Amino acid sequence: MTDAAEAAPRPDVPTGPVAAPPRVAVLGGGRMGAGIAHAFVLAGSEVTVVERDPEAAEAARGRILASIGDSIRRGATDRSEAALAASVHLSTDVTDFAGAGLVVEAVPEDRMLKRDALARIEAVVAGDAVLATNTSSIGIAALAGALEDPARFLGLHFFNPVPASRLVEIVVGDTTAPAVVESARGWVAAIGKTPIVVRDAPGFASSRLGLALALEAMRMVETGVASPADIDTAMELGYRHPAGPLRTTDIVGLDVRLAIAEELQATLGDRFAPPDLLRRMVAEGHLGRKTGRGFYEWSTP
């Protein structure tokens, strides 16, 4: 560990039972960002989401409020819809992140876009705020280089769909302060999810293993070994996976899978090379559930 990682605990790190931070901020209100915001709102945080323009901000508000409504109908919270909605704040100005104890970057999986986003966030938040990225494959070290204080930075890899997923992968960089990791563990537990902690490595644990299986399933479809439904059934019934690799790919998004595959091919070699089938489907706009068509047809994108 570096000297930064050996630093004394930050003032925002609790010493007793950990609650969610009182104020949380999320940059990006797409499917993942909205899900992250929803999780912290249910845990009692005031959440500010910043989007690129007013139209995108309103779309993000709609996604978050829809998730809140679903949670109320499932009995996942006893708070009123009005009270929960009042804890959601949408903006197009990153300076509204000032005062947040935790900021999660949830912009698309592009290294330079994320580096720029993190630098803009660091410029407006307090010195004791924790910064996190929701990247699913880009190395923490590659993103930490954009920051003046990388000791307060780590990965919080949420899974899609966030409301239904029980896992958050905490990705620890070489410069991440131990106290920040412990704080993150507590916050993940406070929002009702299970943390796992992994060192910074290409694809971390979950994306690397999940992608390896998904790419092989795509190659099997490409060469006519079996249909997507039969491949998925093999893994669901034979290996007790809750969803097969191709159905999961549709839920994650084929464009997201392609971006992760390209990142891992560049760092780990051609065993992660994207099949031509995946490239073709993305080029044709068949991205999975969010577009209504991927390896399956979806009636509700």
Side-chain angles (χ1 to χ4, degrees), residues 146-233:
L147 299 173
E148 295 292 330
D149 181 11
R152 59 169 163 171
F153 176 63
L154 79 174
L156 287 180
H157 179 203
F158 289 79
F159 290 77
N160 185 24
V162 177
S165 174
R166 297 175 57 192
L167 178 67
V168 177
E169 192 172 33
I170 298 174
V171 187
V172 181
D174 288 341
T175 56
T176 306
V180 171
V181 178
E182 290 309 304
S183 191
R185 282 181 188 264
W187 292 339
V188 170
I191 63 174
K193 300 189 185 298
T194 300
I196 62 169
V197 177
V198 301
R199 300 298 306 176
D200 187 20
F204 318 133
S206 59
S207 292
R208 191 161 165 178
L209 291 169
L211 183 66
L213 183 60
L215 293 179
E216 190 59 28
M218 292 175 204
R219 295 184 189 106
M220 292 169 68
V221 173
E222 195 170 48
T223 56
V225 172
S227 69
D230 284 346
I231 292 168
D232 280 349
T233 298

Side-chain angles (χ1 to χ4, degrees), residues 227-241 243-245 296:
S227 69
D230 284 346
I231 292 168
D232 280 349
T233 298
M235 300 311 297
E236 290 163 6
L237 300 186
Y239 289 86
R240 294 184 146 185
H241 289 200
Y296 296 89

Side-chain angles (χ1 to χ4, degrees), residues 76-155:
T77 177
D78 56 7
R79 295 172 65 195
S80 72
E81 188 166 3
L84 291 166
S87 298
V88 179
H89 311 282
L90 274 295
S91 173
T92 59
D93 187 351
V94 75
T95 63
D96 288 338
F97 286 168
L102 168 66
V103 184
V104 182
E105 166 273 304
V107 303
E109 195 77 352
D110 177 276
R111 184 179 306 215
M112 295 312 297
L113 182 64
K114 287 182 178 291
R115 283 175 61 93
D116 176 69
L118 289 164
R120 288 191 292 121
I121 291 167
E122 187 180 40
V124 301
V125 299
D128 60 357
V130 173
L131 307 184
T133 175
N134 185 51
T135 181
S136 52
S137 64
I138 301 172
I140 298 304
L143 299 178
L147 299 173
E148 295 292 330
D149 181 11
R152 59 169 163 171
F153 176 63
L154 79 174

